[in-house]
Amino acid sequence: MPKHDPTRESRIHEEIVVDAYDDGEINMSWYYYFNDHMEFPFEAIVNLLKRNGTKEQVKVEILNVQSEVEAPILLGVAERGYNRLQMIVPSVIVRVVDAEEQQEMLNDWLYYHNKSLLS
């Protein structure tokens, strides 16, 4: 899991979830943070689960962020050559392609949830 990062923790607690008191408010705080600060669309590498149970790394375009009060943050994703689909942020994105600021914001979210950061 991520090592202690006081700068990241300060940004998260003072800029993102500063006035959030329950899970619903925290979800919406992250939604507004992503919606207000990310530049869409951007490219990312994701793990897609195939029907046979194997994973394949695929380059996709992240189109937007979506959320509901009691639901986890979702990113609207278009896989090139296929229909549009939605993916949950923490487990599918392997890395962001040429968009360091977007990757940093996603890493803030992963850090907050004590998950491995994007490389």
Side-chain angles (χ1 to χ4, degrees):
M1 295 302 111
K3 69 178 191 176
H4 180 69
D5 184 339
T7 303
R8 188 180 303 274
E9 286 183 17
S10 175
R11 180 172 54 249
I12 290 169
H13 293 288
E14 294 176 18
E15 296 177 22
I16 303 166
V17 296
V18 62
D19 291 327
Y21 298 103
D22 62 27
D23 289 342
E25 290 179 358
I26 290 169
N27 285 344
M28 293 312 294
S29 294
W30 282 104
Y31 166 80
Y32 287 115
Y33 174 64
F34 288 151
N35 194 50
D36 293 346
H37 295 92
M38 281 190 169
E39 293 183 30
F40 296 101
F42 63 90
E43 291 183 338
I45 306 294
V46 300
N47 283 326
L48 292 183
L49 186 60
K50 297 172 93 174
R51 288 185 185 180
N52 65 7
T54 62
K55 291 182 182 178
E56 177 182 1
Q57 288 191 353
V58 177
K59 185 184 280 187
V60 297
E61 188 172 38
I62 307 295
L63 303 173
N64 58 25
V65 64
Q66 303 170 6
S67 183
E68 295 179 22
V69 172
E70 298 300 324
I73 299 293
L74 298 173
L75 292 180
V77 176
E79 181 183 351
R80 296 206 169 100
Y82 295 89
N83 293 326
R84 291 180 184 217
L85 52 123
Q86 292 181 347
M87 297 180 180
I88 298 172
V89 172
S91 60
V92 298
I93 295 180
V94 175
R95 70 181 164 88
V96 176
V97 178
D98 296 328
E100 290 180 28
E101 189 171 324
Q102 280 79 346
Q103 182 157 315
E104 186 68 18
M105 285 185 260
L106 291 171
N107 276 334
D108 286 348
W109 193 88
L110 293 167
Y111 181 90
Y112 182 78
H113 291 286
N114 200 31
K115 301 206 181 272
S116 297
L117 303 184
L118 303 174
S119 53

